[in-house]
Amino acid sequence: QVQLVESGGGLVQPGGSLRLSCAASGTGFSINAMGWYRQAPGKQRELVARIGDTGWRNYADSVKGRFTISRDNAKNTMYLQMNSLKPEDTAVYYCNANIIAWGTTTVEVHWGQGTQVTVSS
């Protein structure tokens, strides 16, 4: 069974930085695309950034130039470097991964439990 565990959230002042990590544990699978999503109270969950196994990256317009998504395939870990944080970045950030178990062609969508990011002075 594959599990995704986020870490790195916390409380920062506007203009500060945080680095989120998402570690995928388990064996016998491969990950094609991964992404970070966030959800603020009373709001829908929205895409923050996404990265594929071929190197493509997508960013929400609101975070372009401030956030950088990356992944270390050897460690099955994805990162989100967040700089110049704004109060409107406050949300629970969720890790998402599309996983294919070895021997299958079925894409399984997995989510982590989320990590809280609060930007406030």
Side-chain angles (χ1 to χ4, degrees):
Q1 183 177 355
V2 177
Q3 294 186 1
L4 303 175
V5 180
E6 302 98 333
S7 62
L11 173 64
V12 296
Q13 296 182 354
S17 298
L18 283 174
R19 189 192 191 207
L20 306 183
S21 298
C22 172
S25 63
T27 59
F29 66 90
S30 62
I31 302 174
N32 48 20
M34 303 183 73
W36 290 98
Y37 295 73
R38 67 187 182 187
Q39 187 169 22
K43 305 293 184 180
Q44 291 185 311
R45 187 173 299 188
E46 65 176 358
L47 170 70
V48 177
R50 199 154 180 82
I51 184 170
D53 57 349
T54 59
W56 56 262
R57 292 167 171 82
N58 290 331
Y59 294 93
D61 288 340
S62 60
V63 307
K64 287 182 179 177
R66 300 188 298 121
F67 292 9
T68 302
I69 189 171
S70 61
R71 62 191 289 180
D72 185 337
N73 292 331
K75 297 180 179 180
N76 276 336
T77 302
M78 176 181 64
Y79 306 94
L80 184 68
Q81 179 66 47
M82 304 186 294
N83 298 325
S84 302
L85 283 162
K86 304 175 181 179
E88 51 262 44
D89 295 319
T90 296
V92 177
Y93 284 70
Y94 296 92
C95 174
N96 166 270
N98 291 340
I99 295 171
I100 303 176
W102 294 350
T104 78
T105 57
T106 302
V107 177
E108 301 177 357
V109 181
H110 288 255
W111 292 92
Q113 292 298 306
T115 184
Q116 177 72 48
V117 172
T118 302
V119 185
S120 176
S121 59

